[in-house]
Amino acid sequence: MKYKISGNVIRRLPRYLRHLDVLADAGIEKVSSGELGAQMGLTPSQIRQDLNCFGGFGQQGYGYNVLQLREGIQDALGVPERVGAILIGAGNLGNALLTNFRFSQCGVRLMAAFDTDPAKIGRKVNGTYIFSVDAVEEFAEDNNVDIAILTLPQAAADETARRVVAAGIRGIWNFTGKDLCLDENEAVVENVHLSDSLLALRYYLRSEERDL
Amino acid sequence: MKYKISGNVIRRLPRYLRHLDVLADAGIEKVSSGELGAQMGLTPSQIRQDLNCFGGFGQQGYGYNVLQLREGIQDALGVPERVGAILIGAGNLGNALLTNFRFSQCGVRLMAAFDTDPAKIGRKVNGTYIFSVDAVEEFAEDNNVDIAILTLPQAAADETARRVVAAGIRGIWNFTGKDLCLDENEAVVENVHLSDSLLALRYYLRSEERDL
């Protein structure tokens, strides 16, 4: 793909993938833009517009072939091309990711975890070794690490982000809740701000009550 | 407020709050739409448009009073009005939230946690008691529970969501990664789909590499 896809479309593609997974698991072979739209709360024309960005997998009067569309979106997102990731901070949240998160479904290979706690270093969680944080630079030098997952306390967030970027890691998945002090061209940062999500839920809950 | 605020603005308000927290902590008393925009990657006119939804706290030539603006946004989001929440599923992710997440900053009071594991039931994590999942209905009957936080395995997601809704809980913060089978008018559901976030990071990382 040579052209840029808009941020909103990029954000919707993983949602399409999830719905297509459900359809594929149910053995459904084709789906119309109307059906997909109804499931996802989008208009059929929105669906067609989104998916036309990728050359359009749909056929007039037939709809989309579920497996082909899924593959096309996976390709567009780069899923088949595995990238390597390390996780820094093996506390509760880090352990939750190590134990339950399906990295491979996102085309990500979790290579190692790092922590400062001597009681954790040297242990293995769900097949992933925990090393000392001091070894991050060495590990990044010896291995192809694309993404650092920060699941450590806020106080250590900026310093660790700087170390990670200095070690040549270009992607940061940031769970610290702190906006990192990095220049835009130093790294690609994806923040998971759980409080934003909870505040939005609260707002919608209250505005719904007002409507009753 | 009598009017509806668009979804995009609602999603940005928590971000404004976070930036205003940083400014307030640094003792900064006023900020212009230009400064706020530069920090947040938004245009000044976008900022003014967003904040005018709330009657506008800005003064021409002065900018925004940081503390007043923060209070106005907190009010708009309903933060001062506490709501009650329960957490269902005290595994790694549930424990991470119980231990580290600052519910009170979102105006949420975490009342209790629930799990199926007898080894966890009766224990206390960071001040929150863990009860048997069998007691969810009784607890919801005796207490004012607005939000159920689902941090349990996907396999139990739909059944638990139905129980929670039947018990009169109207808000669901869904970490299961599964889109719940609920009607729109049964509950307000906020999904935390971590894989969507990781896939977006991957995409942006790759598209940046192509640009180099």
Side-chain angles (χ1 to χ4, degrees):
Chain A
M1 260 177 307
K2 304 237 171 58
Y3 48 88
K4 289 257 176 187
I5 304 164
S6 88
N8 285 337
V9 177
I10 294 305
R11 296 283 161 185
R12 274 197 292 273
L13 289 185
R15 281 179 61 202
Y16 283 110
L17 265 193
R18 276 189 279 114
H19 283 271
L20 291 166
D21 280 341
V22 172
L23 294 175
D25 288 349
I28 293 164
E29 284 173 25
K30 59 177 188 166
V31 65
S32 70
S33 51
E35 290 161 343
L36 205 52
Q39 283 167 36
M40 295 181 59
L42 297 168
T43 66
S45 77
Q46 179 71 75
I47 301 253
R48 284 191 296 267
Q49 218 178 326
D50 281 356
L51 302 180
N52 285 349
C53 289
F54 309 99
F57 313 98
Q59 264 177 279
Q60 191 102 43
Y62 171 86
Y64 298 97
N65 176 304
V66 169
L67 294 181
Q68 275 176 23
L69 182 58
R70 180 167 73 165
E71 207 183 306
I73 294 177
Q74 283 170 337
D75 284 347
L77 287 169
V79 175
E81 183 193 324
R82 300 264 131 177
V83 298
I86 60 172
L87 181 142
I88 307 180
N92 282 308
L93 180 57
N95 268 292
L97 291 174
L98 289 170
T99 312
N100 304 316
F101 189 76
R102 284 181 271 175
F103 286 98
S104 64
Q105 283 206 346
C106 295
V108 172
R109 195 160 56 89
L110 191 62
M111 308 168 84
F114 298 85
D115 203 284
T116 53
D117 181 356
K120 288 176 187 162
I121 295 164
R123 294 183 65 178
K124 211 171 169 179
V125 175
N126 195 23
T128 305
Y129 270 108
I130 302 175
F131 299 97
S132 161
V133 160
D134 297 335
V136 163
E137 282 84 358
E138 200 187 325
F139 188 90
E141 206 167 289
D142 294 344
N143 298 276
N144 225 329
V145 183
D146 303 277
I147 293 171
I149 304 163
L150 302 189
T151 46
L152 38 79
Q154 287 204 356
D158 277 317
E159 195 220 321
T160 309
R162 272 193 293 272
R163 282 181 56 186
V164 149
V165 168
I169 298 172
R170 305 279 304 136
I172 295 181
W173 201 20
N174 176 27
F175 284 84
T176 67
K178 188 187 177 305
D179 289 301
L180 301 172
C181 299
L182 290 174
D183 282 344
E184 224 176 277
N185 51 11
E186 285 185 291
V188 179
V189 180
E190 170 78 15
N191 295 308
V192 179
H193 282 302
L194 293 179
S195 57
D196 291 14
S197 169
L198 184 55
L199 285 169
L201 172 59
R202 282 205 45 156
Y203 176 83
Y204 286 117
L205 200 55
R206 206 174 58 129
S207 78
E208 198 206 33
E209 278 163 11
R210 277 202 305 268
D211 287 349
L212 295 178
Chain B
M1 263 178 304
K2 303 236 171 58
Y3 48 89
K4 287 258 178 189
I5 303 163
S6 90
N8 285 336
V9 178
I10 294 305
R11 295 283 161 186
R12 275 197 292 274
L13 289 184
R15 281 180 62 203
Y16 283 111
L17 265 193
R18 275 189 278 115
H19 283 271
L20 291 166
D21 280 340
V22 172
L23 294 174
D25 288 350
I28 293 165
E29 285 174 22
K30 58 178 187 166
V31 65
S32 70
S33 51
E35 289 161 344
L36 205 53
Q39 283 167 37
M40 297 182 58
L42 296 168
T43 66
S45 76
Q46 179 72 74
I47 300 255
R48 285 192 296 266
Q49 218 178 328
D50 281 358
L51 302 180
N52 285 348
C53 289
F54 307 103
F57 314 96
Q59 264 177 278
Q60 192 102 39
Y62 172 85
Y64 297 98
N65 176 306
V66 169
L67 294 181
Q68 276 176 22
L69 181 57
R70 180 167 73 165
E71 207 183 305
I73 295 178
Q74 283 171 338
D75 284 346
L77 286 169
V79 176
E81 181 193 323
R82 301 264 130 177
V83 297
I86 59 171
L87 181 143
I88 307 180
N92 283 306
L93 180 58
N95 268 292
L97 291 174
L98 289 171
T99 312
N100 304 315
F101 190 78
R102 284 183 270 175
F103 286 99
S104 64
Q105 284 206 347
C106 296
V108 172
R109 195 160 55 89
L110 191 60
M111 307 168 84
F114 297 86
D115 204 283
T116 52
D117 181 357
K120 290 176 185 160
I121 294 165
R123 294 184 64 179
K124 210 171 168 179
V125 175
N126 195 23
T128 304
Y129 271 107
I130 303 175
F131 299 97
S132 161
V133 160
D134 297 335
V136 163
E137 282 84 357
E138 200 186 325
F139 189 91
E141 205 168 292
D142 294 345
N143 298 277
N144 226 327
V145 183
D146 301 277
I147 293 170
I149 304 163
L150 302 189
T151 47
L152 39 79
Q154 287 204 357
D158 276 318
E159 194 220 320
T160 308
R162 271 192 294 270
R163 280 180 58 185
V164 150
V165 168
I169 299 171
R170 305 278 304 136
I172 295 180
W173 200 20
N174 177 26
F175 284 82
T176 66
K178 188 187 178 303
D179 290 300
L180 301 172
C181 298
L182 290 174
D183 281 345
E184 225 175 277
N185 52 12
E186 286 184 291
V188 179
V189 180
E190 171 77 15
N191 295 308
V192 179
H193 281 302
L194 294 178
S195 58
D196 290 14
S197 169
L198 183 56
L199 284 169
L201 172 60
R202 286 207 41 161
Y203 177 83
Y204 286 117
L205 199 55
R206 206 173 59 128
S207 76
E208 199 205 32
E209 278 162 12
R210 276 201 308 266
D211 287 349
L212 295 177

